[in-house]
Amino acid sequence: MNLAIIIPVYNEQENLPELTRRLTAACETMEGIDWRVIFVNDGSTDESWRMLGESHAADARFCVVDLSRNFGHQAAISAGMMHADADAVVVMDADLQDPPEVIPDLVAAWREGAQIVLAERRTRQERGLRRVGFELFHRLFKWISDFPVAPRTGVFGLLNRQAAEAFRSLPETNRFFPGLRSWIGFDQRIVHYDRADRAAGRPKQTLRRLVRYASDGIFSFSHKPLHLMTGAGVLISGFGFVLGMVFLVKRLLGVEQAQMGFTTLIVVVTFIGGIQLMSLGLLGQYLSRVYDEVKRRPIYIVRQRLGVPGSAESQTTEESAGP
Ligand code: UDP
Ligand code: MG
């Protein structure tokens, strides 16, 4: 049985030697598994590309897909998925936050019959804003999404051939891997592990990107924000109608109206104005994503490959990049 391990790499020169060493050690322990690693070089500007080339030269089981620029974490994962033709596919990060030593456990669960294996962290090492952000996002996502993701899982996990095939067949451009993995269904099993802190280097996902990632997750997996806005509209206009009636009746009955209410007026006008702008922005979030989908641009563009045959999908994108 063969196994492909997909690892997106963006400026990870400090982590690559340790990663390849620990990967080899961990994978050698698995019997009867023909494994290989597909590194996706996501437009690294440091020594990563050269180092990946050297790993490939030293051991042909380390393959590389080199993207033409930095397309982002999720796009890099998609690129790896498109190139992995294996009985099972493991996805993990390059910064050693996902320990390679867990791979045999994932494979064991798969051999016992699981079609998708999620690596769930018992503990997490990040601190400060990032940690608060992650917690907040998972709470929000659980409430908002029709297909919640297990709160302590990220991209780390295994998909069998059928599940990987299902993922590859998804047509969208905005790809939120954990959400889509939950959406495709199949028998999912959980394996626990202790998540390490990033071994070396700064996080490559800036806070802004993480926010973008989170909103991709929310807007592509839920219509709830739209329903909430509709609900708020109904509530506020109902309130306005009742208030209007009260004043109208008072006027008709000739009840004296006090010349007050300037503060109320300002508060109401700014409040309603704010809600309206927010709703517009929210619509914009959906619209811009619809626009991205309609353009049908490829998710990534491959510059070159080491040790992996071109996938059907990316070949067409390369051809169509011509005249
Ligand atoms: N990564 C990537 N492209 C990017 C940003 C990150 O391929 O534009 C890779 C990075 O090399 C790492 C993984 O994605 O292997 C996760 O990145 P990071 O550790 O910065 O994210 P976090 O752990 O904070 O979610
Ligand atoms: Mg990380």
Side-chain angles (χ1 to χ4, degrees):
M1 285 194 290
N2 54 28
L3 172 75
I5 301 164
I6 295 170
I7 309 183
V9 175
Y10 177 54
N11 295 347
E12 301 283 4
Q13 58 181 9
E14 302 93 343
N15 293 318
L16 287 176
E18 165 104 356
L19 177 68
T20 45
R21 191 181 58 69
R22 278 173 59 185
L23 265 174
T24 315
C27 290
E28 293 297 359
T29 65
M30 296 185 292
E31 272 164 38
I33 296 277
D34 180 16
W35 59 273
R36 67 177 175 163
V37 177
I38 301 177
F39 288 112
V40 181
N41 179 37
D42 188 19
S44 300
T45 51
D46 65 355
E47 293 295 299
S48 297
W49 164 243
R50 190 184 56 75
M51 294 168 82
L52 291 174
E54 280 169 8
S55 315
H56 175 67
D59 185 341
R61 289 176 298 187
F62 290 105
C63 316
V64 193
V65 176
D66 185 31
L67 302 187
S68 63
R69 64 168 169 86
N70 178 248
F71 281 88
H73 187 196
Q74 299 296 306
I77 290 176
S78 288
M81 291 293 286
M82 291 301 180
H83 287 83
D85 178 25
D87 296 322
V89 179
V90 165
V91 177
M92 65 186 286
D93 286 347
D95 57 359
L96 295 165
Q97 282 193 291
D98 306 332
E101 292 72 27
V102 181
I103 294 176
D105 299 344
L106 299 177
V107 169
W110 164 53
R111 281 175 148 174
E112 281 165 19
Q115 292 171 299
I116 294 184
V117 189
L118 309 176
E120 188 178 278
R121 51 190 168 258
R122 272 185 292 248
T123 54
R124 128 173 352 265
Q125 300 295 329
E126 283 106 343
R127 304 196 183 284
L129 204 56
R130 263 171 194 266
R131 189 184 182 120
V132 176
F134 284 128
E135 299 284 333
L136 217 68
F137 169 72
H138 279 294
R139 293 244 171 107
L140 185 67
F141 194 72
K142 187 168 172 210
W143 175 71
I144 222 166
S145 170
D146 301 330
F147 299 91
V149 177
R152 283 175 296 280
T153 58
V155 299
F156 193 22
L158 178 146
L159 278 71
N160 77 351
R161 186 182 283 279
Q162 201 183 0
E165 206 54 65
F167 179 84
R168 278 191 279 272
S169 71
L170 297 173
E172 57 244 80
T173 310
N174 279 312
R175 289 188 167 203
F176 177 62
F177 183 72
L180 292 173
R181 189 180 49 191
S182 141
W183 184 89
I184 57 177
F186 296 110
D187 283 338
Q188 311 212 347
R189 195 170 307 177
I190 285 178
V191 163
H192 292 271
Y193 76 106
D194 293 305
R195 188 163 176 85
D197 206 350
R198 169 174 263 284
R202 294 163 52 77
K204 304 301 179 301
Q205 295 272 69
T206 56
L207 217 52
R208 221 177 82 191
R209 277 205 180 188
L210 284 178
V211 170
R212 164 90 205 176
Y213 181 42
S215 42
D216 269 348
I218 289 168
F219 293 116
S220 55
F221 280 93
S222 177
H223 295 168
K224 231 180 217 165
L226 290 175
H227 297 313
L228 283 178
M229 282 302 157
T230 316
V234 169
L235 219 78
I236 291 174
S237 55
F239 180 69
F241 179 75
V242 170
L243 211 67
M245 275 316 198
V246 168
F247 284 123
L248 190 71
V249 169
K250 269 176 137 184
R251 181 69 195 257
L252 290 179
L253 294 179
V255 178
E256 204 51 47
Q257 306 258 346
Q259 288 300 318
M260 282 203 314
F262 177 72
T263 317
T264 323
L265 213 63
I266 293 293
V267 169
V268 168
V269 166
T270 50
F271 177 70
I272 307 272
I275 294 226
Q276 283 171 338
L277 286 180
M278 246 168 64
S279 316
L280 268 182
L282 208 86
L283 271 182
Q285 290 283 349
Y286 285 98
L287 191 64
S288 66
R289 283 173 173 80
V290 171
Y291 188 41
D292 281 344
E293 298 295 339
V294 170
K295 282 190 284 195
R296 297 278 79 189
R297 290 200 186 134
I299 301 168
Y300 57 88
I301 293 174
V302 176
R303 177 169 24 214
Q304 52 190 317
R305 305 180 177 85
L306 299 176
V308 259
S311 69
E313 190 261 6
S314 56
Q315 252 150 20
T316 52
T317 64
E318 271 157 55
E319 275 158 21
S320 60

